[in-house]
Amino acid sequence: MKTSTIFAACGIICGLTSATLGFAGKPWQAGLFGLAAGIWSIATLLMDRRGDNDD
């Protein structure tokens, strides 16, 4: 499995956790997970642009 795929999966999980916490009324926890989702998304883009075959 490529590292960028793992990073994308982590970003999706953090985004869903952020949405769940937001609906549960926990704004600062949702914000932290939203920030983490953004960081994972940027890391995914950087890994994808590197172009290395990191299977």
Side-chain angles (χ1 to χ4, degrees):
M1 182 178 276
K2 293 182 85 174
T3 306
S4 59
T5 305
I6 294 170
F7 282 8
C10 290
I12 290 168
I13 290 169
C14 284
L16 291 174
T17 304
S18 174
T20 302
L21 288 169
F23 287 130
K26 300 178 187 261
W28 70 270
Q29 291 96 336
L32 288 176
F33 273 96
L35 182 65
I39 291 170
W40 281 115
S41 297
I42 291 170
T44 302
L45 288 174
L46 292 176
M47 288 296 295
D48 206 28
R49 285 189 183 194
R50 259 186 32 201
D52 292 338
N53 189 2
D54 56 354
D55 289 334

